[in-house]
Amino acid sequence: MQILFAILAGGLFGAGLFVSGMTDTTKVKGWLDVFGNWDPTLAFVMGGAIIPMVLAWQLTRVSRPLAGGVFPPPPPHEIGHRLVIGSVLFGIGWGLAGLCPGPSIASLSYGGIGGLIFVAAMLVGMGAAPAIGNRLDRLAEPA
Amino acid sequence: MEPDWIWGLVGGLLIGLGGAVYLLGNGRIMGASGIIGGLVDGSGRNTATERLAFLAAVAIVPIVLTPLYNIEITTNLTSNWVVVAAAGLLVGVGTRIANGCTSGHGVCGMSRFSLRGMVATVFYILAGGITVVLFRHILGVI
């Protein structure tokens, strides 16, 4: 059951990336390029994606996951150095290539060698992240 | 040919529907970096099959849809592999330290009015925007 929902969700995600044009890095970079030929498409993608999710979060109040288990706990409020530094590093990489994790996985089927290099480097980065995060925590501790 | 923003909106709705299926079906947040990262660092070992099934569907569906739309699907990724590798590293490290990316913090976080999701989204868009300005308009690398 969980596998079925995962395939359905991944399929919808992949279809959405394709239909919206987010598989094309020029559209992503176009959104980030406010001083160039600015492309607002990504804002519509983000806005469109948030609509069903707002409804879904409301439904979590009155139901349980169909495949069993429990819904995620309420989000923490803590705005720490990890959130800010991590998001800035992610944003720099996102701006450089025009790929974020979802579309990078999609690109494995059509993105050629470039997509492979990106995903391989991303996996290395994800493997190194826990150690880097711990180092950041130590640096952030008041001396 | 309809304008791009309509396709953006339709595609966005599909992505959001995917997130809703993952949440209401499996009780989990559809964050791409978390789903991948849990496989890399072993934190998602118990749900590995579900994660792999999700990622396989994300990768396969766009290429399957391509013939129906009769368009060529391309990433238009830069052929500067050093830039690509550096970008991949930064995306991997950054999303795992921040515990989310465009789908997790952006779509799933902001839709539950999470302050963390909003702060993360502001910072990665600002950093991305500054990066494009710097590397495209000033340095001319990308």
Side-chain angles (χ1 to χ4, degrees), chain A residues 30-82:
Chain A
W31 150 259
L32 292 171
D33 191 5
V34 280
F35 293 116
N37 193 7
W38 189 60
D39 184 340
T41 309
L42 193 141
F44 287 94
V45 180
M46 197 66 118
I50 285 175
I51 295 168
M53 281 306 296
V54 169
L55 297 172
W57 281 117
Q58 296 307 314
L59 284 172
T60 62
R61 294 165 180 231
V62 293
S63 66
R64 304 183 126 255
L66 296 170
V70 287
F71 285 121
H77 291 290
E78 187 217 344
I79 309 294
H81 57 275
R82 275 182 179 244

Coordinates of all heavy atoms in Angstrom, one line a residue, chain A residues 30-82:
Chain A
G30 N 15.9 31.5 -14.9 CA 15.2 32.7 -15.4 C 14.4 33.3 -14.2 O 14.2 34.5 -14.1
W31 N 13.9 32.4 -13.3 CA 13.1 32.9 -12.1 C 14.1 33.6 -11.2 O 13.7 34.7 -10.6 CB 12.4 31.8 -11.5 CG 12.2 31.9 -10.0 CD1 13.0 31.3 -9.0 CD2 11.2 32.7 -9.3 NE1 12.5 31.7 -7.8 CE2 11.5 32.5 -7.9 CE3 10.2 33.5 -9.7 CZ2 10.7 33.1 -7.0 CZ3 9.4 34.1 -8.8 CH2 9.6 33.9 -7.4
L32 N 15.3 33.1 -11.0 CA 16.2 33.7 -10.1 C 16.9 34.9 -10.7 O 17.5 35.7 -10.0 CB 17.3 32.6 -9.7 CG 16.8 31.4 -8.9 CD1 17.9 30.4 -8.8 CD2 16.4 31.9 -7.5
D33 N 16.8 35.1 -12.0 CA 17.5 36.2 -12.7 C 16.7 37.4 -12.8 O 16.2 37.8 -13.8 CB 17.9 35.7 -14.1 CG 18.9 36.6 -14.8 OD1 19.3 37.6 -14.1 OD2 19.2 36.4 -15.9
V34 N 16.6 38.1 -11.6 CA 15.7 39.3 -11.6 C 16.3 40.5 -12.4 O 15.5 41.3 -12.9 CB 15.5 39.8 -10.2 CG1 14.4 39.0 -9.5 CG2 16.7 39.8 -9.4
F35 N 17.6 40.5 -12.7 CA 18.1 41.6 -13.5 C 18.3 41.2 -15.0 O 18.7 42.0 -15.7 CB 19.5 42.0 -12.9 CG 19.4 42.6 -11.6 CD1 20.0 42.0 -10.5 CD2 18.7 43.8 -11.4 CE1 19.9 42.6 -9.2 CE2 18.6 44.3 -10.1 CZ 19.2 43.7 -9.0
G36 N 17.9 40.0 -15.3 CA 18.0 39.6 -16.7 C 16.6 39.5 -17.3 O 15.7 40.3 -17.0
N37 N 16.3 38.4 -18.1 CA 15.0 38.2 -18.7 C 14.2 37.4 -17.7 O 14.1 36.2 -17.8 CB 15.3 37.4 -20.0 CG 14.0 37.4 -20.8 OD1 13.0 38.1 -20.5 ND2 14.1 36.6 -21.9
W38 N 13.6 38.1 -16.7 CA 12.9 37.4 -15.6 C 11.8 36.6 -16.0 O 10.9 37.0 -16.8 CB 12.5 38.4 -14.5 CG 12.0 37.8 -13.3 CD1 12.8 37.0 -12.5 CD2 10.7 37.9 -12.7 NE1 12.0 36.6 -11.4 CE2 10.8 37.1 -11.5 CE3 9.5 38.5 -13.0 CZ2 9.6 36.9 -10.7 CZ3 8.4 38.4 -12.2 CH2 8.5 37.6 -11.0
D39 N 11.7 35.3 -15.5 CA 10.7 34.4 -15.9 C 9.9 34.0 -14.6 O 10.4 33.3 -13.7 CB 11.3 33.1 -16.5 CG 10.3 32.1 -16.9 OD1 9.2 32.1 -16.5 OD2 10.7 31.2 -17.8
P40 N 8.6 34.4 -14.5 CA 7.9 34.2 -13.2 C 7.3 32.8 -13.1 O 6.6 32.6 -12.1 CB 6.8 35.3 -13.3 CG 6.5 35.5 -14.8 CD 7.9 35.2 -15.5
T41 N 7.5 31.9 -14.1 CA 6.8 30.6 -14.0 C 6.9 29.9 -12.7 O 5.9 29.4 -12.2 CB 7.3 29.7 -15.1 OG1 7.3 30.4 -16.4 CG2 6.5 28.4 -15.2
L42 N 8.1 29.9 -12.1 CA 8.3 29.2 -10.9 C 7.4 29.6 -9.7 O 6.9 28.8 -8.9 CB 9.8 29.3 -10.4 CG 10.2 28.3 -9.3 CD1 11.6 27.8 -9.6 CD2 10.2 28.9 -7.9
A43 N 7.0 30.9 -9.7 CA 6.1 31.3 -8.7 C 4.8 30.7 -8.8 O 4.1 30.4 -7.9 CB 6.0 32.9 -8.7
F44 N 4.3 30.5 -10.1 CA 3.0 29.9 -10.3 C 3.1 28.4 -10.0 O 2.1 27.8 -9.5 CB 2.6 30.0 -11.8 CG 2.2 31.4 -12.1 CD1 3.1 32.4 -12.6 CD2 0.9 31.8 -11.9 CE1 2.7 33.7 -12.9 CE2 0.5 33.1 -12.2 CZ 1.4 34.1 -12.7
V45 N 4.2 27.7 -10.2 CA 4.4 26.3 -9.9 C 4.3 26.2 -8.4 O 3.6 25.4 -7.8 CB 5.8 25.8 -10.4 CG1 5.9 24.3 -10.0 CG2 5.9 26.0 -11.9
M46 N 5.0 27.0 -7.6 CA 5.0 27.0 -6.2 C 3.6 27.3 -5.6 O 3.1 26.6 -4.8 CB 6.0 28.1 -5.7 CG 6.5 27.9 -4.3 SD 7.4 26.4 -4.0 CE 9.0 27.1 -3.5
G47 N 3.0 28.3 -6.2 CA 1.6 28.7 -5.7 C 0.7 27.5 -6.0 O -0.1 27.2 -5.2
G48 N 0.8 27.0 -7.2 CA -0.1 25.9 -7.6 C 0.1 24.7 -6.7 O -0.9 24.0 -6.3
A49 N 1.3 24.4 -6.4 CA 1.6 23.2 -5.5 C 1.1 23.4 -4.1 O 0.7 22.4 -3.4 CB 3.1 22.9 -5.5
I50 N 1.1 24.6 -3.6 CA 0.7 24.9 -2.3 C -0.8 24.7 -2.0 O -1.2 24.3 -1.0 CB 1.2 26.3 -1.8 CG1 2.7 26.2 -1.6 CG2 0.5 26.8 -0.6 CD1 3.4 27.5 -1.3
I51 N -1.6 25.0 -3.1 CA -3.1 24.9 -3.0 C -3.5 23.5 -2.5 O -4.2 23.4 -1.4 CB -3.8 25.3 -4.3 CG1 -3.5 26.8 -4.6 CG2 -5.3 25.1 -4.2 CD1 -3.8 27.2 -6.0
P52 N -3.2 22.4 -3.2 CA -3.7 21.1 -2.7 C -3.1 20.7 -1.4 O -3.7 20.0 -0.6 CB -3.2 20.1 -3.8 CG -2.8 20.9 -5.0 CD -2.5 22.3 -4.5
M53 N -1.9 21.2 -1.1 CA -1.2 20.9 0.1 C -1.9 21.6 1.3 O -1.9 21.0 2.4 CB 0.3 21.2 0.1 CG 1.2 20.2 -0.7 SD 1.0 18.5 -0.1 CE 1.6 18.7 1.6
V54 N -2.3 22.8 1.1 CA -3.1 23.5 2.2 C -4.3 22.6 2.6 O -4.5 22.4 3.8 CB -3.5 24.9 1.8 CG1 -4.4 25.5 2.8 CG2 -2.3 25.8 1.7
L55 N -5.0 22.1 1.6 CA -6.2 21.3 1.9 C -5.8 20.0 2.6 O -6.4 19.6 3.5 CB -6.9 21.0 0.6 CG -7.5 22.2 -0.2 CD1 -8.0 21.8 -1.5 CD2 -8.6 22.9 0.7
A56 N -4.7 19.4 2.1 CA -4.2 18.1 2.6 C -3.9 18.3 4.1 O -4.2 17.5 5.0 CB -3.0 17.6 1.9
W57 N -3.2 19.4 4.5 CA -2.8 19.6 5.9 C -4.1 19.8 6.7 O -4.1 19.3 7.9 CB -1.9 20.8 6.0 CG -0.5 20.6 5.7 CD1 0.3 21.1 4.7 CD2 0.4 19.7 6.3 NE1 1.5 20.7 4.6 CE2 1.7 19.7 5.6 CE3 0.3 18.8 7.4 CZ2 2.8 19.0 6.0 CZ3 1.4 18.0 7.8 CH2 2.7 18.1 7.1
Q58 N -5.1 20.4 6.2 CA -6.4 20.6 6.9 C -7.0 19.2 7.2 O -7.5 18.9 8.3 CB -7.4 21.4 6.1 CG -6.9 22.9 5.9 CD -6.5 23.6 7.2 OE1 -7.2 23.5 8.2 NE2 -5.4 24.2 7.2
L59 N -6.9 18.3 6.2 CA -7.5 17.0 6.3 C -6.7 16.1 7.3 O -7.3 15.2 7.9 CB -7.5 16.2 5.0 CG -8.5 16.7 4.0 CD1 -8.3 16.0 2.6 CD2 -9.9 16.3 4.5
T60 N -5.5 16.4 7.6 CA -4.7 15.6 8.6 C -5.3 15.8 10.0 O -5.0 15.0 10.9 CB -3.2 16.0 8.6 OG1 -3.1 17.4 9.0 CG2 -2.5 15.7 7.3
R61 N -6.0 16.9 10.2 CA -6.6 17.2 11.5 C -7.8 16.2 11.8 O -8.1 16.0 13.0 CB -7.2 18.6 11.6 CG -6.1 19.7 11.5 CD -6.8 21.0 11.2 NE -5.8 22.0 11.1 CZ -5.9 23.2 11.7 NH1 -6.9 23.4 12.5 NH2 -4.9 24.1 11.6
V62 N -8.4 15.7 10.8 CA -9.6 14.9 11.0 C -9.5 13.4 10.5 O -10.4 12.7 10.5 CB -10.8 15.5 10.3 CG1 -11.2 16.9 11.0 CG2 -10.6 15.8 8.8
S63 N -8.3 13.1 10.1 CA -8.1 11.7 9.5 C -6.8 11.1 10.0 O -6.0 11.7 10.7 CB -8.2 11.7 8.0 OG -7.1 12.4 7.5
R64 N -6.6 9.9 9.5 CA -5.3 9.2 9.8 C -4.7 8.8 8.4 O -5.5 8.7 7.5 CB -5.5 7.9 10.6 CG -6.2 8.2 12.0 CD -6.3 7.0 12.8 NE -5.7 7.2 14.1 CZ -4.5 6.8 14.5 NH1 -3.8 6.0 13.7 NH2 -4.1 7.1 15.7
P65 N -3.4 8.6 8.3 CA -2.8 8.1 7.1 C -3.5 6.9 6.6 O -3.7 5.9 7.3 CB -1.4 7.9 7.4 CG -1.1 8.7 8.6 CD -2.4 8.7 9.4
L66 N -3.9 6.8 5.3 CA -4.6 5.7 4.7 C -3.8 4.4 4.8 O -4.4 3.3 5.0 CB -4.9 6.0 3.2 CG -5.9 7.1 3.0 CD1 -6.0 7.5 1.5 CD2 -7.3 6.8 3.6
A67 N -2.5 4.5 4.7 CA -1.7 3.3 4.8 C -1.2 2.9 6.2 O -0.4 2.1 6.5 CB -0.5 3.4 3.9
G68 N -1.8 3.6 7.2 CA -1.5 3.4 8.6 C -0.4 4.4 9.1 O 0.1 5.2 8.4
G69 N -0.1 4.3 10.4 CA 0.9 5.2 11.0 C 0.3 6.5 11.4 O -1.0 6.5 11.6
V70 N 1.1 7.5 11.6 CA 0.6 8.7 12.1 C 1.1 9.9 11.2 O 2.1 9.7 10.5 CB 1.0 9.0 13.6 CG1 0.3 8.1 14.6 CG2 2.5 8.8 13.8
F71 N 0.5 11.0 11.3 CA 0.9 12.2 10.5 C 2.1 12.8 11.2 O 2.4 12.6 12.4 CB -0.2 13.2 10.4 CG -1.3 12.8 9.4 CD1 -2.6 12.6 9.8 CD2 -0.9 12.5 8.1 CE1 -3.6 12.2 8.9 CE2 -1.9 12.1 7.2 CZ -3.2 12.0 7.6
P72 N 2.9 13.6 10.5 CA 4.1 14.2 11.1 C 3.7 15.2 12.2 O 2.6 15.8 12.1 CB 4.7 15.0 9.9 CG 4.1 14.5 8.7 CD 2.7 13.9 9.0
P73 N 4.5 15.3 13.2 CA 4.2 16.3 14.3 C 4.2 17.7 13.8 O 4.8 18.0 12.7 CB 5.3 16.0 15.3 CG 6.4 15.5 14.5 CD 5.8 14.7 13.4
P74 N 3.6 18.6 14.5 CA 3.7 20.0 14.1 C 5.1 20.5 13.9 O 6.0 20.0 14.6 CB 3.0 20.8 15.3 CG 2.3 19.8 16.0 CD 2.9 18.5 15.8
P75 N 5.4 21.4 13.0 CA 6.8 21.8 12.7 C 7.4 22.5 13.9 O 6.7 23.3 14.6 CB 6.6 22.8 11.5 CG 5.2 23.3 11.6 CD 4.4 22.2 12.2
P76 N 8.7 22.4 14.1 CA 9.3 23.1 15.2 C 9.4 24.6 14.8 O 9.3 24.9 13.6 CB 10.7 22.5 15.3 CG 10.9 21.8 14.0 CD 9.6 21.5 13.4
H77 N 9.5 25.4 15.8 CA 9.6 26.9 15.5 C 11.0 27.4 15.4 O 11.2 28.5 15.0 CB 8.8 27.7 16.6 CG 7.3 27.4 16.5 ND1 6.5 27.9 15.4 CD2 6.5 26.8 17.3 CE1 5.3 27.5 15.6 NE2 5.2 26.8 16.7
E78 N 11.9 26.6 15.8 CA 13.3 27.0 15.9 C 13.9 27.5 14.6 O 13.9 26.7 13.6 CB 14.2 25.9 16.5 CG 15.6 26.3 16.9 CD 16.6 25.2 16.6 OE1 16.1 24.0 16.4 OE2 17.7 25.5 16.5
I79 N 14.4 28.7 14.5 CA 15.1 29.2 13.4 C 16.6 29.2 13.8 O 17.0 30.2 14.4 CB 14.6 30.6 13.0 CG1 13.1 30.7 12.8 CG2 15.3 31.1 11.7 CD1 12.5 29.9 11.7
G80 N 17.3 28.2 13.5 CA 18.7 28.1 13.9 C 19.7 28.3 12.8 O 19.3 28.6 11.7
H81 N 20.9 28.2 13.2 CA 22.0 28.4 12.2 C 22.0 27.4 11.1 O 22.3 27.7 9.9 CB 23.4 28.5 12.8 CG 23.7 27.3 13.6 ND1 23.3 27.1 14.9 CD2 24.3 26.1 13.3 CE1 23.7 25.9 15.3 NE2 24.3 25.3 14.4
R82 N 21.5 26.2 11.4 CA 21.5 25.1 10.4 C 20.5 25.5 9.3 O 20.8 25.3 8.1 CB 21.0 23.8 11.1 CG 22.2 23.0 11.7 CD 21.6 21.7 12.2 NE 22.7 20.9 12.8 CZ 23.1 19.7 12.4 NH1 22.5 19.2 11.3 NH2 24.1 19.1 13.0

